Amino acid sequence: MYHKLQYISQGNTIEEQLYNIHQALDAGCDWVQMRFKDQTEKDTFALAEAVKFLCEEYLANFIVNDNLYLAQQVAADGVHLGLTDMKIDEARAILGSTKIIGGTANTFDDIKNHVKNGCDYIGLGPFRFTSTKEKLSPILGLSGYFEILQKMKKDKIQIPVYAIGGIDLRDINPLMETGIHGIAVSGMITNSDQKKKLIQQINEKLYANVIV
């Protein structure tokens, strides 16, 4: 089963990214999505290689954001594709059945398409405004998640859905009540000076109602 917490990496340089990812892994995060926008191919590749090594060391899942060929090059665990990136079914044809493919969604129709095309998990958002991402889709809020998850239930669509976008600690319980699988966060972990404690608190909330 997929971990319920995804860390989406932050940092404008290779050094910043590696520092933040290492800190998150060290604090107990076991799923990293590497997001390193508008950088040279050389730097992006160098970072991906280093992150792959780190994630192997910590037995964490390593997903590359947007860049399918990079994910293939460094043998990452998978790729996360945005709504304007390569189509999920094309990515599946290239990566094969053993790799994880995540897709960004903002509507119920997005989810239906992704599921039909062989997606493994959905990043549904944004929950609220976030400065981490440019060109935000319409904000969903709690009611948006509830509505979409209800439609999924009605249509018997089962796929792990992660809430994303400006989430903080007090949002987790109400979000989990909508029926999502987990959350994907960035700034919340990057900006914390007590990452271990924070990740422990996040996981307690995410796994509160799970029967092991």
Side-chain angles (χ1 to χ4, degrees):
M1 200 49 180
Y2 291 154
H3 304 300
K4 289 174 176 281
L5 173 63
Q6 293 188 17
Y7 172 61
I8 299 174
S9 72
Q10 275 186 307
N12 299 318
T13 62
I14 294 177
E15 290 72 28
E16 277 177 27
Q17 283 264 343
L18 277 179
Y19 177 78
N20 289 335
I21 290 167
H22 201 169
Q23 291 260 306
L25 288 165
D26 214 33
C29 196
D30 35 30
W31 181 300
V32 172
Q33 185 190 135
M34 186 190 106
R35 196 164 178 272
F36 197 42
K37 295 279 190 189
D38 309 320
Q39 305 289 336
T40 65
E41 213 173 297
K42 186 172 166 255
D43 281 0
T44 311
F45 181 76
L47 176 63
E49 275 204 315
V51 177
K52 158 93 174 156
F53 180 76
L54 265 181
C55 286
E56 277 179 351
E57 204 181 315
Y58 283 89
L59 304 177
N61 277 347
F62 170 39
I63 304 290
V64 173
N65 181 277
D66 289 355
N67 194 330
L68 177 124
Y69 296 106
L70 178 64
Q72 211 178 14
Q73 266 182 306
V74 298
D77 295 307
V79 68
H80 183 95
L81 298 169
L83 286 167
T84 55
D85 296 327
M86 179 188 274
K87 297 279 178 281
I88 302 282
D89 49 356
E90 284 173 40
R92 180 60 74 204
I94 294 164
L95 282 184
S97 60
T98 59
K99 295 293 183 185
I100 299 168
I101 298 179
T104 298
N106 180 245
T107 65
F108 177 57
D109 283 341
D110 292 339
I111 294 175
K112 275 203 301 196
N113 286 333
H114 285 341
V115 171
K116 191 179 75 194
N117 291 323
C119 196
D120 292 305
Y121 75 86
I122 303 290
L124 179 63
F127 171 60
R128 67 160 64 91
F129 176 78
T130 171
S131 56
T132 312
K133 195 167 164 53
E134 289 170 30
K135 301 194 203 93
L136 273 188
S137 295
I139 305 288
L140 292 174
L142 267 181
S143 57
Y145 283 93
F146 186 75
E147 206 177 298
I148 290 170
L149 269 293
Q150 285 301 310
K151 284 180 183 170
M152 285 175 68
K153 218 177 193 169
K154 195 166 157 259
D155 278 24
K156 297 185 170 55
I157 295 172
Q158 289 185 312
I159 187 170
V161 173
Y162 290 82
I164 182 169
I167 295 166
D168 68 35
L169 211 49
R170 66 176 184 272
D171 302 317
I172 298 174
N173 288 346
L175 272 169
M176 292 305 280
E177 281 166 17
T178 67
I180 57 161
H181 175 73
I183 61 170
V185 296
S186 195
M188 182 182 176
I189 289 176
T190 306
N191 303 327
S192 167
D193 50 9
Q194 287 188 298
K195 291 182 175 57
K196 220 179 208 95
K197 187 182 172 194
L198 174 66
I199 287 173
Q200 210 173 338
Q201 288 173 319
I202 294 171
N203 280 329
E204 273 168 20
K205 290 174 184 291
L206 291 177
Y207 290 93
N209 303 316
V210 175
I211 299 147
V212 180

